[in-house]
């Protein structure tokens, strides 16, 4: 719907949309140095490849057409497990038993151990940190994550309330490490890449109309749109390489 409001500058220009393929998965694989996740990402279909690694799909050359149900199950499993969703919620989402849900999540964490272990270490380290962290809840409202040990050591509870007032946050003294906290490295990396891309496009006079998540929409002259689009793709590739070296 948003794109329907956009038009090229004039008849001599056209709109070109460029985005990443499964950017968050690529970031997770690079951030966790996860060889299995990276291998799956490099295959024609990430979720089919993941299903093969999980043992849910028995054919390495399966496709979305040949194994639609298995692929859908693996897709939902990957999307929810990436953010640390628990086995009960996963069981409801996939309409399976809680025991089967536990088994699938274990297959995910065992297969993608590089990413899963690093995410677990992040949550642990943050839980021991003395530094408050501002996060957003599911309804878009900010709150301050204050590690439990730090909150307990706060002699004056007004100190915590002052933090909430400063950030206009909900009046919670502390929260357990959340999915928002575990997902922060992925989202912050995406934001860093996008800032790099916007700056480089501006430096090279490539007309950016707007950005949406990992997508950029460009207003390019018809006579040279291909060259400028190729240059934009290279800039987006450089953004990832500069952050992760691959």
């Amino acid at each position: 719907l948003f794109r329907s409001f956009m038009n090229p500058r004039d008849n001599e220009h056209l709109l070109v949309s460029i985005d990443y393929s499964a950017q968050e998965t690529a970031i997770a694989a690079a951030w966790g140095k996860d060889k299995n996740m990276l291998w799956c990402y490099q295959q024609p279909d990430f979720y089919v490849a993941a299903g093969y690694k999980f043992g849910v799909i028995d054919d390495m050359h399966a496709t979305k057409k040949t194994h639609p149900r298995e692929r859908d199950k693996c897709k939902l499993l990957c999307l929810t497990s990436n953010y640390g969703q628990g086995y009960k919620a996963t069981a409801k989402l996939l309409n399976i038993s809680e025991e089967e849900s536990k088994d699938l999540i274990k297959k995910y964490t065992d297969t993608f151990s590089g990413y899963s272990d690093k995410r677990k270490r992040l949550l642990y380290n943050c839980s021991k940190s003395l530094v408050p962290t501002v996060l957003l809840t599911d309804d878009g409202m900010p709150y301050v994550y204050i590690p439990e040990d730090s909150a307990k050591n706060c002699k004056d509870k007004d100190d915590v309330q002052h933090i909430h007032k400063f950030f206009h946050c909900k009046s919670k003294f502390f929260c357990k490490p959340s999915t928002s906290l575990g997902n922060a490295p992925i989202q912050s990396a995406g934001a860093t890449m996008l800032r790099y891309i916007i700056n480089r496009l501006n430096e090279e006079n490539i007309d950016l109309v707007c950005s949406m998540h990992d997508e950029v929409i460009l207003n390019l002259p018809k006579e040279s749109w291909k060259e400028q689009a190729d240059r934009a793709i290279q800039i987006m590739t450089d953004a990832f390489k500069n952050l992760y070296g691959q």
Side-chain angles (χ1 to χ4, degrees), residues 147-158:
E148 183 171 352
D149 291 344
S150 299
K152 286 180 177 178
N153 292 332
C154 248
K155 295 180 180 179
D156 186 358
K157 294 298 183 183
D158 287 339

Side-chain angles (χ1 to χ4, degrees), residues 52-68:
Y52 177 75
K53 286 285 188 181
F54 299 156
V56 174
I57 296 175
D58 58 7
D59 182 3
M60 182 177 178
H61 303 290
T63 65
K64 183 178 181 178
K65 290 184 177 180
T66 62
H67 294 70

Side-chain angles (χ1 to χ4, degrees), residues 32-70:
K33 294 181 172 60
D34 196 305
K35 294 181 179 180
N36 281 337
M37 189 178 285
L38 181 59
W39 180 85
C40 290
Y41 182 78
Q42 293 171 334
Q43 305 311 305
D45 189 314
F46 175 84
Y47 302 113
V48 169
Y52 177 75
K53 286 285 188 181
F54 299 156
V56 174
I57 296 175
D58 58 7
D59 182 3
M60 182 177 178
H61 303 290
T63 65
K64 183 178 181 178
K65 290 184 177 180
T66 62
H67 294 70
R69 292 182 180 178
E70 294 88 344

